[in-house]
Amino acid sequence: MDAAIVAGSSCSSSNKVVSMADFGDEPHVLAVDDNLIDRKLVEKLLKNSSCKVTTAENALRAVEYLGLGDDKKNSTTAADIASKVNLIITDYCMPGMTGYELLKKVKESSNFREVPVVIVSSENIPTRINKCLEEGAQMFMLKPLKQSDVAKIRCDVLNCRG
Amino acid sequence: MAGVAQLQRQLVDYTASLFHEGFLDDQFNQLQQLQDESNPDFVVEVVSLFFEDSERLLNELAKSLEQQTIDFKRIDAHVHQLKGSSSSIGAQRVQRVCIAFRNFCDEKNVEGCQKCLQQVKHEYSLVKSKLETLFKLEQQILAAGGSIPFPM
């Protein structure tokens, strides 16, 4: 994994590009953040980028939403999973389960390991960033997010259209 | 009654002064740029959330610092929240005090924390009143049939 830290690297070399067939023009993003203001902000940023947004106020809620806590959900079809989420953006510092722990759970799950995860944090700590990238985070970005950051995510992680 | 052009000039000057004096930083511009026809009150909504959330946090902080045994972890968690929200709306001076506040938490310095609490309350009330003035000016312009000048 290369050392491109904050902005992450373009995913053209990895196999994690989400196929267009999965979400058409409006990818569904799960945004996880315990800060109310940040949730509102990320939601607007994503909506401005033509994304459908579901927010979760902590990692546990996110886990519940994804159905990761319940391993016995064998009735979930591949189509259900594909339509669930196309991207997870999560804050790093959250009470209870951190964004890093959420990332691990997602990457350990057979259903969701291909879903790109972007970690955001207000703190620029290289060891933290590396840890997340090594665990499979697509990108690590600094808060507060700007429209240009979301455009970059849209492009690099979700594949620019047109 | 002031004409629209005069009010608009007032707003532009007032906003510029808030940036110049460090009350607001570029993140506030980012917020304004997010506002559009589908969400014409976005900035006011987010800032109102910030006011509510901050007041709740400041109350919690005051209570925590009055305890017999100070729970620095709890205080730090609250300051972290306040630092995050203030940063997200561009309330630069509030954010800066929060950084100092967290350092005192790390050092378990009660006096330092108490001083920071006073400082952050002060900076918060300043930025609150200035933003309220800014929003009032915007309302006056809209009421007079004008439009809000786009942020520079």
Side-chain angles (χ1 to χ4, degrees), chain A residues 10-21:
Chain A
S10 143
C11 63
S12 52
S13 54
S14 83
N15 292 324
K16 289 185 182 150
V17 174
V18 178
S19 116
M20 289 312 196

Side-chain angles (χ1 to χ4, degrees), chain A residues 31-118:
Chain A
V32 192
D33 199 314
D34 61 322
N35 186 303
L36 178 59
I37 285 93
D38 288 340
R39 274 202 304 281
K40 192 161 167 87
L41 214 65
V42 79
E43 184 181 40
K44 186 73 168 99
L45 285 167
L46 288 167
K47 284 187 172 162
N48 279 11
S49 293
S50 314
C51 294
K52 287 200 290 279
V53 188
T54 298
T55 59
E57 61 187 24
N58 57 53
L60 276 172
R61 293 281 164 90
V63 165
E64 275 165 29
Y65 177 76
L66 294 170
L68 282 181
D70 188 347
D71 288 338
K72 298 186 173 83
K73 266 207 170 95
N74 289 322
S75 53
T76 317
T77 66
D80 286 345
I81 294 159
S83 67
K84 216 64 205 247
V85 281
N86 306 115
L87 166 67
I88 297 168
I89 295 182
T90 178
D91 189 19
Y92 181 92
C93 272
M94 291 187 292
M97 194 189 289
T98 65
Y100 175 70
E101 287 158 351
L102 175 61
L103 166 68
K104 282 213 291 199
K105 261 210 140 65
V106 169
K107 293 303 165 188
E108 281 161 13
S109 117
S110 46
N111 291 341
F112 293 102
R113 67 164 59 104
E114 291 309 310
V115 176
V117 180
V118 172

Side-chain angles (χ1 to χ4, degrees), chain A residues 121-136:
Chain A
S121 175
S122 54
E123 292 163 312
N124 188 348
I125 300 172
T127 47
R128 173 182 292 184
I129 296 166
N130 284 326
K131 186 171 80 163
C132 290
L133 294 176
E134 274 163 29
E135 198 61 41

Side-chain angles (χ1 to χ4, degrees), chain A residues 34-38 40-41 44-45 48 91 93 95 122-123 143-148, chain B residues 27 30-31 34 36 38-39 42 45-46 49-50 53 80-81 83 85 87-89 102:
Chain A
D34 61 322
N35 186 303
L36 178 59
I37 285 93
D38 288 340
K40 192 161 167 87
L41 214 65
K44 186 73 168 99
L45 285 167
N48 279 11
D91 189 19
C93 272
S122 54
E123 292 163 312
K143 274 161 91 170
L145 287 180
K146 305 190 206 309
Q147 196 69 71
S148 55
Chain B
Q27 182 59 21
Q30 295 290 323
L31 274 193
L34 283 178
D36 55 24
S38 73
N39 225 157
F42 181 70
E45 281 170 18
V46 178
L49 276 177
F50 169 71
D53 203 49
H80 175 80
Q81 285 290 314
K83 175 172 157 283
S85 331
S87 162
S88 292
I89 68 143
R102 291 193 81 191

